[in-house]
Amino acid sequence: MLDPATTPSAAELVRHEGQKRWTRFLLPTYTIAMIVYLASPILVMILYGFNDVPHERQTPEFWGFTLSWYRQIFGVPGLSDALQNSLLIALIAASVATVIGTFLGLALGRYVFAGKALLLFFIFLAIAVPEIVLGSSLLTLFIQSRFILGLGTILVSHIAFDVPFVAVTVQARVAGMDRSLEDAAYDLYARPTSAFLRVTLPQILPGVFAGFLLAFVLSLDDFVITQFVSGTTQTFPIWVFGATRVGLPPQVNVMGTLLFAIGLAIAIGNVVVRRRSRGLT
Amino acid sequence: MEAAPVAHRRSARRGRGLAPYALIAPGAGWLLVFLVIPLLILLYTSLESGGLLFGGFRFTWAFSNYGDAISGNLRYFERSLLYASIVTITCLVLAYPMMYWIAFYGGRWKTSLLLLILLPFFVSFVIRTVQWGFILADQGIILGPLKHLGLLPQDFHVLATPFAVVAGMTYNFLPFTALPLYVSLERIDPTMVEAAKDLYASRWQSFRRVVIPLSLPGVFAAFLLTFVPATGDYVNASVLGGTDTTMVGNIIQDRFLIQNAYNEAAALAAVLMLAMLVLVTIYARVLGTEDVVRSAAG
């Protein structure tokens, strides 16, 4: 950076100190402040799960600590059903989307075929178009074809918006895959199915797993599309949104906190496993 | 992608020319039925006339729906575009320095820092927005003490103002801005920046003339992934806003789900869709789909 042959001038030294101030102090402080900002509603959610409110409805004031909402976590019937629906929908939608999306990702990651550009554009479209447009258009489909809104329409809609995300996640993994192992399997006369199951699948599995998790989280969290296609069926976010007008029971905070803890544990586990497997190779 | 021609030759050698079509059939079929066809049915519905209470809807090429939808709701469209613009610019300004520092100086903490930035995704979007409602409430943990100390007048409020809606949206869309920025900043070869310095560029010059231009694809991807969903958002306006913060998304939701005026609602959603389709298509044509797709893949 500085030419070693010439001694740095005072101005250059000052400039160098200025640079250090930016990268050693100002930017890291800013980044930490931003992370605190991003985490603040989560911290409030966790804190208010312990809020000793008098009337079983959340208030902006904090009344003192209690564990009673954790003890009565399933004490609000509609809320428990909504959470159960959400978990069930997310599990089924993410599973189906993972199978369909993995096939798509495989095809996109390794083949050139007529219509590939169009398919990529539709996947891109599904990711980029606002949810309200997807939700509205799915609702018009269900109205025109006289589908009854409920669990079924929620499921097919969730699979539809999950598939593109799984596809691109798997595609990224397939593109970075070492194909010589697969070729070796074929050279050793492996049948396509066994070559896929025993050589290809283990290699892309981290991508498939990441795709499943992404789909599960997207599905569990979805509000906009679900609101359009759910009819009277309640999911966790739909129930919470509906309850904001009359006041939220603190159990919402408790459930949110537990879901957050589980999600975080899986994410950290994933990072640790990846780091360890990288260390081994 | 780069290895694709080779892959094609190999698969052709094995006579598996139909393999890609077998693989894409279920996914492409699903996207056709539940993404492409619904968009067409949305357009079809937007050209119907009638109403649930007037003997049902009939398809009549009712283009007047569009005129009515736009002229009757112009201020909501304008407000959505205004809020989305402010939110997008704020998100870019807030996220860029942070992602620059993580990409260039994060070192071994990169993954952990990224995970921290994505923390909000582990809590439902609706819950996070409702929590902001609690934080910004008139007697909440910020305004309550300030009012108690007499630093703010008792009738001061943040909720139900445009500021609350824009702030809530900024919070909710910030990770969508941050990820594509990171993807493009992380890709910049640090030796390019070194080279600029070797050529006696100051820190600021090398940042402005090397880092910023090379990160522009990420800025555009961030713009797309923030501006487009922000324009259609209605959850922030519902939870944090008041009567004068209604956005076009609120109107679409109301017409579809409360008033069952499907044709009017479909026309409104179609306007939004066509506008976004133009934006998205131009983006895909000019810059390609790679950056957005890569951000989505995490």
Side-chain angles (χ1 to χ4, degrees):
Chain A
M1 283 186 245
L2 290 173
D3 189 349
T6 58
T7 44
S9 67
E12 273 172 321
L13 274 178
V14 167
R15 206 180 69 196
H16 198 67
E17 283 307 303
Q19 291 169 8
K20 275 190 185 162
R21 202 176 63 217
W22 272 98
T23 58
R24 294 249 175 102
F25 180 69
L26 287 174
L27 284 174
T29 312
Y30 173 76
T31 303
I32 290 166
M34 288 301 288
I35 287 170
V36 171
Y37 161 68
L38 285 168
S40 54
I42 303 172
L43 299 175
V44 171
M45 172 190 76
I46 297 172
L47 177 69
Y48 278 64
F50 300 101
N51 192 5
D52 196 4
V53 281
H55 301 298
E56 307 207 336
R57 288 282 179 267
Q58 206 58 269
T59 64
E61 278 159 284
F62 195 79
W63 299 72
F65 277 92
T66 177
L67 281 173
S68 63
W69 312 122
Y70 277 81
R71 271 186 238 112
Q72 312 164 37
I73 178 168
F74 297 117
V76 187
L79 176 61
S80 305
D81 295 343
L83 183 69
Q84 205 182 330
N85 279 344
S86 269
L87 291 170
L88 186 72
I89 290 164
L91 188 67
I92 299 175
S95 305
V96 176
T98 302
V99 175
I100 299 177
T102 299
F103 289 151
L104 267 185
L106 272 170
L108 292 170
R110 62 165 50 163
Y111 296 109
V112 177
F113 51 91
K116 184 176 179 178
L118 189 68
L119 184 60
L120 276 171
F121 181 72
F122 283 134
I123 287 176
F124 172 72
L125 202 64
I127 293 171
V129 157
E131 275 198 289
I132 190 166
V133 171
L134 295 180
S136 315
S137 65
L138 281 162
L139 177 61
T140 58
L141 168 79
F142 297 139
I143 291 171
Q144 299 281 3
S145 55
R146 306 192 198 287
F147 263 67
I148 293 166
L149 300 178
L151 276 179
T153 50
I154 299 177
L155 268 176
V156 295
S157 308
H158 280 218
I159 295 168
F161 72 70
D162 281 343
V163 163
F165 286 94
V166 178
V168 297
T169 310
V170 173
Q171 184 197 357
R173 182 79 197 182
V174 172
M177 193 180 106
D178 182 6
R179 294 209 60 193
S180 55
L181 285 174
E182 209 176 51
D183 283 335
Y186 282 112
D187 290 343
L188 295 168
Y189 301 101
R191 271 176 295 138
T193 26
S194 65
F196 175 77
L197 287 176
R198 297 174 68 174
V199 179
T200 316
L201 193 60
Q203 279 193 86
I204 61 167
L205 211 52
V208 175
F209 186 62
F212 174 82
L213 283 183
L214 185 61
F216 187 85
V217 169
L218 286 173
S219 189
L220 191 65
D221 187 30
D222 183 71
F223 173 74
V224 174
I225 292 173
T226 311
Q227 200 195 20
F228 274 85
V229 301
S230 61
T232 53
T233 306
Q234 301 272 328
T235 64
F236 184 52
I238 300 280
W239 195 93
V240 172
F241 183 80
T244 49
R245 275 146 230 265
V246 287
L248 287 180
Q251 278 90 340
V252 167
N253 296 62
V254 174
M255 288 176 178
T257 303
L258 295 178
L259 289 176
F260 171 70
I262 295 168
L264 192 62
I266 294 173
I268 291 175
N270 196 22
V271 170
V272 170
V273 168
R274 235 191 290 173
R275 194 162 280 177
R276 203 167 286 168
S277 63
R278 209 179 295 155
L280 285 176
T281 46
Chain B
M1 287 293 268
E2 288 79 19
V6 181
H8 184 54
R9 212 186 312 130
R10 276 182 192 156
S11 59
R13 192 183 63 203
R14 290 203 190 94
R16 290 192 292 159
L18 286 175
Y21 295 103
L23 285 172
I24 67 166
W30 204 286
L31 291 180
L32 184 70
V33 176
F34 297 109
L35 176 77
V36 182
I37 290 176
L39 293 176
L40 298 175
I41 293 182
L42 180 74
L43 291 175
Y44 174 88
T45 307
S46 73
L47 297 172
E48 287 183 333
S49 54
L52 272 193
L53 302 174
F54 314 106
F57 291 96
R58 266 175 307 278
F59 185 77
T60 55
W61 295 105
F63 281 104
S64 59
N65 286 345
Y66 281 84
D68 297 345
I70 293 174
S71 61
N73 299 293
L74 197 58
R75 62 202 165 113
Y76 304 120
F77 276 106
E78 285 170 356
R79 189 178 288 143
S80 290
L81 290 175
L82 176 69
Y83 286 5
S85 308
I86 298 173
V87 166
T88 308
I89 293 168
T90 314
C91 281
L92 281 170
V93 170
L94 286 177
Y96 199 100
M98 167 171 72
M99 299 329 279
Y100 167 76
W101 186 74
I102 294 176
F104 279 82
Y105 301 94
R108 63 199 184 90
W109 296 104
K110 268 184 197 174
T111 319
S112 311
L113 287 166
L114 273 184
L115 186 64
L116 286 170
I117 283 165
L118 297 181
L119 274 190
F121 286 139
F122 293 103
V123 177
S124 172
F125 166 56
V126 176
I127 294 190
R128 274 181 275 137
T129 312
V130 171
Q131 297 310 314
W132 274 112
F134 278 105
I135 296 172
L136 300 173
D138 298 356
Q139 296 301 330
I141 47 180
I142 297 177
L143 297 190
L146 289 175
K147 285 180 181 176
H148 190 71
L149 293 169
L151 294 171
L152 285 175
Q154 281 302 319
D155 60 351
F156 183 85
H157 64 102
V158 173
L159 284 186
T161 64
F163 173 79
V165 178
V166 171
M169 289 169 72
T170 303
Y171 173 83
N172 279 316
F173 291 114
L174 195 60
F176 293 98
T177 321
L179 269 185
L181 285 179
Y182 178 78
V183 169
S184 70
L185 283 164
E186 225 273 326
R187 218 169 22 198
I188 296 175
D189 185 351
T191 57
M192 301 278 270
V193 185
E194 291 296 313
K197 285 186 198 142
D198 287 345
L199 296 168
Y200 299 102
S202 70
R203 175 71 139 224
W204 170 245
Q205 282 171 323
S206 65
F207 177 73
R208 196 171 64 87
R209 315 256 309 246
V210 179
V211 177
I212 289 188
L214 286 175
S215 68
L216 275 186
V219 173
F220 289 122
F223 167 81
L224 193 76
L225 286 179
T226 310
F227 183 79
V228 172
T231 311
D233 181 69
Y234 63 91
V235 176
N236 286 285
S238 297
V239 176
L240 304 170
T243 46
D244 61 345
T245 60
T246 307
M247 294 172 70
V248 71
N250 298 85
I251 302 291
I252 296 176
Q253 191 254 11
D254 174 75
R255 297 296 182 273
F256 260 124
L257 301 177
I258 311 288
Q259 311 211 6
N260 297 328
Y262 300 133
N263 51 354
E264 187 197 345
L268 282 167
V271 171
L272 201 59
M273 175 186 90
L274 294 171
M276 294 306 143
L277 218 51
V278 170
L279 200 64
V280 166
T281 311
I282 293 174
Y283 176 89
R285 283 274 143 157
V286 177
L287 295 153
T289 57
E290 194 74 349
D291 286 304
V292 166
V293 165
R294 204 182 302 208
S295 311

